Amino acid sequence: MPLAGEDRVKLESLQEVVASELSAFEAEYEQQLSAELPLLNEICQHLKRGRSKRFRPTLLLVTAKDRGGSSAEVIFAATVVEIIHTATLIHDDFIDEAEVRRRLPTVNVKWGASAALIMGDYLYSKAFAQLTARGMLEPMNILARTTHEMSIAEMMQLERRRRLDVSEEDYFAIIHQKTASLIQASCEIGALLNRGINGQRDRFADFGLNIGLAFQIIDDMFDYLGDQRRLGKPVGSDWREGRITLPFISAWRNAPPRESERLRDALATLVDGSALWPDVRRFVEHHGGLDYAYQKARQFGRQAKECLVGISIQPQRDILAAAVDYVLGRVD
């Protein structure tokens, strides 16, 4: 199904082409993720310990790279994208009452729900205040639209919490706006800030949307595949927190009604459904949920690569195409 071990594209190999830009990004991120208020700064230092893979900044930096290198605006835009991404995770953990993120205690566990809510708001507001101060109005417009979409998707997900009959259409609407939209924005901003390709913003935005959809589907598969090290949080978290994702949606659609009703009845007798996780995992595997999800991820991966057809500028075309292979190859 996925790429075999040695053939998998590694994110580090994609990042080599923007190594100097990522170094500048890290310095800027270190500076921006700090605060004078002691409690805010304490939480900032904690967040830095839970380092992400820098996937979104990497896509922005690759797209924006031209022969003259990357400007200070490009580096700052990548930093803002990562700050906003961090804010979304803090709010996610607050909503889900999650205890672990990137193998560290979540902000809501370590400092309480109120601090988590304020910290997420602080990072959002800092990102937009800094963009305004630097006069980066077009990137701000893109990210304002994106954060609005993410907020709507969060409410949609909350409305559908623990509903076993969530439709595939609703699932894709949620992951489009909640996850793929920020990856889409990263690629669009990268193209905007690259004078050689800013006339092709829509194509790079479409690329970002499709690779973002594939990215989230693969992430949702991890919950069933059982690799806690990749998730950075306990396996089965999506199910325990009431998120119904594509592997389950597909299995629920394929399963005989008698099996589905048995699962529904069992869930109705429990408070949170955690005890049913082993049964749910077997249900999804038995009824082809993982295979279906992977095929959908591959479909979006193909669509992402189609967005690059006819683009001659390098390194964008080849590196972004390899990024698709990285996303799909994350599952073993």
Side-chain angles (χ1 to χ4, degrees):
M1 180 174 70
L3 298 171
E6 65 274 10
D7 295 326
R8 289 206 311 268
V9 174
K10 292 181 172 55
L11 182 58
E12 292 81 0
S13 66
L14 305 178
Q15 293 174 331
E16 288 177 359
V17 74
V18 287
S20 62
E21 289 87 350
L22 278 170
S23 179
F25 157 83
E26 294 295 349
E28 183 70 31
Y29 186 72
E30 175 75 23
Q31 180 181 342
Q32 292 296 330
L33 204 67
S34 60
E36 293 184 4
L37 193 68
L39 179 55
L40 281 174
N41 196 57
E42 183 182 351
I43 299 174
C44 283
Q45 299 313 308
H46 175 78
L47 293 170
K48 290 175 189 176
R49 290 174 57 209
R51 189 182 185 279
S52 77
K53 293 181 179 179
R54 311 306 199 213
F55 182 62
R56 293 157 186 81
T58 297
L59 291 179
L60 190 154
L61 293 171
V62 168
T63 307
K65 187 177 179 69
D66 61 23
R67 293 178 182 177
S70 293
S71 67
E73 276 196 341
V74 170
I75 302 303
F76 186 72
T79 303
V80 167
V81 164
E82 186 67 11
I83 289 172
I84 289 175
H85 176 53
T86 302
T88 67
L89 298 181
I90 295 171
H91 279 174
D92 277 354
D93 292 338
F94 164 75
I95 293 166
D96 298 331
E97 299 179 357
E99 297 182 355
V100 177
R101 168 73 65 177
R102 295 170 182 161
R103 295 176 289 281
L104 293 172
T106 56
V107 174
N108 46 289
V109 163
K110 196 169 177 66
W111 286 277
S114 296
L117 182 60
I118 294 168
M119 191 66 199
D121 290 347
Y122 167 76
L123 292 178
Y124 276 127
S125 60
K126 182 168 188 174
F128 289 114
Q130 292 285 350
L131 284 170
T132 302
R134 294 180 183 230
M136 297 176 64
L137 300 184
E138 192 60 28
M140 187 179 71
N141 287 340
I142 294 169
L143 289 170
R145 178 195 70 213
T146 300
T147 53
H148 179 64
E149 290 177 358
M150 289 191 290
S151 297
I152 294 172
E154 198 70 69
M155 188 62 74
M156 289 176 63
Q157 186 167 274
L158 187 62
E159 281 184 332
R160 290 153 181 78
R161 200 171 194 174
R162 306 193 194 287
R163 277 180 45 185
L164 302 184
D165 59 349
V166 172
S167 69
E168 188 170 317
E169 181 181 11
D170 283 349
Y171 167 81
F172 281 121
I174 290 169
I175 70 167
H176 173 175
Q177 295 184 75
K178 185 178 176 183
T179 301
S181 64
L182 188 56
I183 297 175
Q184 178 182 26
S186 301
C187 295
E188 183 178 358
I189 292 170
L192 168 71
L193 298 177
N194 185 333
R195 287 172 296 178
I197 58 175
N198 60 13
Q200 298 176 299
R201 278 174 55 182
D202 290 346
R203 292 183 66 180
F204 284 94
D206 287 345
F207 168 86
L209 171 61
N210 281 286
I211 195 175
L213 291 169
F215 184 94
Q216 186 58 52
I217 294 169
I218 297 295
D219 260 18
D220 292 340
M221 290 176 63
F222 284 158
D223 210 46
Y224 289 92
L225 291 171
D227 191 340
Q228 184 169 333
R229 292 169 300 175
R230 282 187 192 171
L231 285 170
K233 59 184 180 178
V235 172
S237 294
D238 286 345
W239 171 259
R240 293 184 183 94
E241 292 162 5
R243 286 190 295 274
I244 306 302
T245 58
L246 188 59
F248 184 89
I249 291 169
S250 173
W252 183 261
R253 184 172 58 229
N254 293 338
R258 184 171 58 183
E259 288 191 43
S260 301
E261 290 306 314
R262 187 184 303 128
L263 186 61
R264 188 196 295 274
D265 292 345
L267 184 62
T269 65
L270 302 172
V271 176
D272 64 5
S274 296
L276 273 182
W277 171 244
D279 296 328
V280 170
R281 192 170 172 182
R282 284 191 294 269
F283 177 85
V284 167
E285 290 175 352
H286 182 69
H287 295 294
L290 289 171
D291 287 338
Y292 179 81
Y294 187 69
Q295 291 308 313
K296 293 297 288 188
R298 283 175 58 87
Q299 175 186 327
F300 287 117
R302 287 192 297 270
Q303 290 173 194
K305 287 186 176 182
E306 287 171 4
C307 295
L308 302 175
V309 173
I311 290 176
S312 59
I313 191 168
Q314 294 288 14
Q316 282 75 13
R317 187 187 62 202
D318 291 348
I319 296 297
L320 294 178
V324 175
D325 295 332
Y326 157 72
V327 166
L328 296 177
R330 290 184 302 152
V331 290
D332 294 323

